[in-house]
Amino acid sequence: MKPDTPLCVDEGVSPLLPPSFLSLLSLLIHTPSVVGAEHSFFRVLQRELELRGAKVTWYEGLLVAQGSDPYSMMFSAHADRHGLICTGPNEFQYAAFVAGARSDLLGNSVDEQLMKKIVDRFSSETVFAYEPWSGAYRGRGEVDKAYICEFRNNLIFILKGLEHLVAGTPVAFTDRLKVDQDTLVAQLDNVLTVAVLVYLFELGFQGTVFFTAQEEAGKSWRYLLEWFRRFGGTTNQLIVVDTSPYPDQESARQQHLVLRNRDANAAFNPELTAKLVATCESQGYSYQFKDKWVEARNAQLVAKGEEPGSLGSTEMGRIIAASGGLVDGTTLQIPTSGYHTMSETAPLASVVAFIQVLASLTDLHFSV
């Protein structure tokens, strides 16, 4: 079944992407999914997936959508996005830090450099509160200021207009999809690839898709591994999809798609990675291995006497490292700039390439 949903006015028009996909993406961007409070987003996902013929099952921290041939191909995307959580009277903290229990109280404090990077990122952004299970609206406000509390060594936000909230209430950043001639703009990590996986069912996908909670807090791999230990085969191949950050739009546009040989946790499945390479090349899409890009960049930093960066930690690497051979696979990512902001930008050509490659992998027809 293909829902006949009109385009929302904030989407704009793209000659490269179908109106039904843009409508779905706009809907999901409007639906809050703060890390640790994803339930209401899962409810919307369930509806949209079932409208497209998928069988949907809920587990703790995990929404599983399946077609008639569930083990033919498996994809995973994390469903959480950054936001705030009320932790006291007119006091709000970065939800990923709270969900990850990151504070000096447990000897797992947030890096001071990271806090300083975030403290001014959301200045004057509009926000809204919601009930975590139902998604019911609880009011609108604005970020007044953020500061690092010297007593708790943690990042505290002060909001205007949401003084009535009680502790435990999630607060999402107000967001809307913006489309111009060659980019999509919003807080895209990771609602963009979530929308693509839902759209695959509209194209006729019959495999399995996992939507995970709390990836931004480093917990999503646990929910996935629990499912595979209960329902998986002796070996399980998985493709984890996501966005991949670059310093600016120019560097993001240097390739259509991003692959990996490994991350900081583990090496990925070389055969499945090679299959993605072959699919990209057969479709005429360029790609870059992010681990090689990081290594080359690190060599330049070290030559300048600066500290090298990390290879990054992905859901795929975490589950490979923890599963003892039960699960392996690889990743496919869309390059973006403006990471973890309301202005994260993805090239339209990369989004088209991403859908086309996934469709080709699963023998589906997608044309623009």
Side-chain angles (χ1 to χ4, degrees), residues 22-332:
L22 287 174
S23 218
L24 171 65
L25 178 58
S26 183
L27 168 68
L28 297 183
I29 285 172
H30 278 295
T31 306
S33 188
V34 172
V35 54
E38 302 93 342
H39 291 89
S40 58
F41 185 73
F42 276 0
R43 290 162 71 94
V44 173
L45 272 185
Q46 179 179 10
R47 180 191 66 201
E48 297 304 314
L49 287 160
E50 289 178 348
L51 280 172
R52 291 161 174 81
K55 175 187 175 184
V56 178
T57 310
W58 284 56
Y59 299 92
E60 175 63 21
L62 190 67
L63 193 74
V64 183
Q66 295 180 310
S68 59
D69 191 9
Y71 293 94
S72 59
M73 184 67 72
M74 295 183 177
F75 298 115
S76 176
H78 74 85
D80 55 309
R81 278 168 273 159
H82 282 298
L84 310 176
I85 191 84
C86 182
T87 54
N90 199 27
E91 177 189 280
F92 303 85
Q93 295 186 33
Y94 205 51
F97 297 164
V98 175
R102 300 186 68 183
S103 72
D104 272 354
L105 299 177
L106 297 177
N108 183 29
S109 62
V110 179
D111 180 73
E112 184 176 358
Q113 185 177 3
L114 176 59
M115 286 194 288
K116 288 181 177 179
K117 187 176 181 180
I118 294 171
V119 70
D120 296 320
R121 181 178 286 173
F122 304 106
S123 178
S124 300
E125 288 283 358
T126 57
V127 294
F128 68 97
Y130 66 99
E131 295 289 345
W133 181 259
S134 67
Y137 179 71
R138 294 284 289 123
R140 179 181 180 276
E142 180 181 313
V143 177
D144 186 18
K145 65 178 180 177
Y147 66 96
I148 299 173
C149 176
E150 61 179 306
F151 303 108
R152 289 169 290 180
N153 191 31
N154 216 333
L155 189 60
I156 307 298
F157 288 79
I158 302 298
L159 307 183
K160 292 187 292 188
L162 292 174
E163 294 83 0
H164 62 283
L165 296 182
V166 297
T169 305
V171 177
F173 297 110
T174 304
D175 202 4
R176 56 188 292 169
L177 176 65
K178 294 171 280 294
V179 182
D180 62 24
Q181 289 299 312
D182 58 358
T183 59
L184 298 178
V185 183
Q187 187 186 182
L188 299 175
D189 179 22
N190 184 35
V191 68
L192 176 55
T193 62
V194 166
V196 172
L197 294 186
V198 175
Y199 181 68
L200 284 187
F201 283 98
E202 190 169 316
L203 297 179
F205 180 65
Q206 296 301 321
T208 295
V209 171
F210 303 99
F211 300 99
T212 59
Q214 300 186 51
E215 190 270 351
E216 299 291 2
K219 294 183 175 181
S220 60
W221 66 271
R222 302 168 187 262
Y223 304 126
L224 265 179
L225 183 55
E226 186 168 321
W227 187 94
F228 279 111
R229 283 178 171 168
R230 184 177 179 187
F231 301 110
T234 54
T235 58
N236 304 274
Q237 285 200 347
L238 179 69
I239 296 177
V240 175
V241 297
D242 205 340
T243 62
S244 184
Y246 282 82
D248 48 54
Q249 288 193 41
E250 182 180 354
S251 54
R253 293 176 189 274
Q254 295 302 307
Q255 59 286 306
H256 287 104
L257 297 169
V258 180
L259 307 178
R260 280 182 177 270
N261 294 298
R262 61 172 298 113
D263 72 354
N265 301 295
F268 295 173
N269 182 285
E271 289 80 16
L272 192 54
T273 303
K275 185 176 181 179
L276 284 181
V277 167
T279 304
C280 289
E281 291 179 349
S282 69
Q283 299 291 327
Y285 294 123
S286 61
Y287 55 88
Q288 181 177 74
F289 281 94
K290 191 63 174 287
D291 51 308
K292 292 182 178 179
W293 181 84
V294 172
E295 288 168 354
R297 195 160 181 255
N298 282 344
Q300 295 174 351
L301 292 173
V302 170
K304 296 177 183 178
E306 300 178 23
E307 286 291 319
S310 169
L311 284 179
S313 183
T314 68
E315 189 175 79
M316 188 75 259
R318 288 176 184 268
I319 196 170
I320 290 174
S323 69
L326 178 64
V327 184
D328 73 354
T330 193
T331 61
L332 182 66

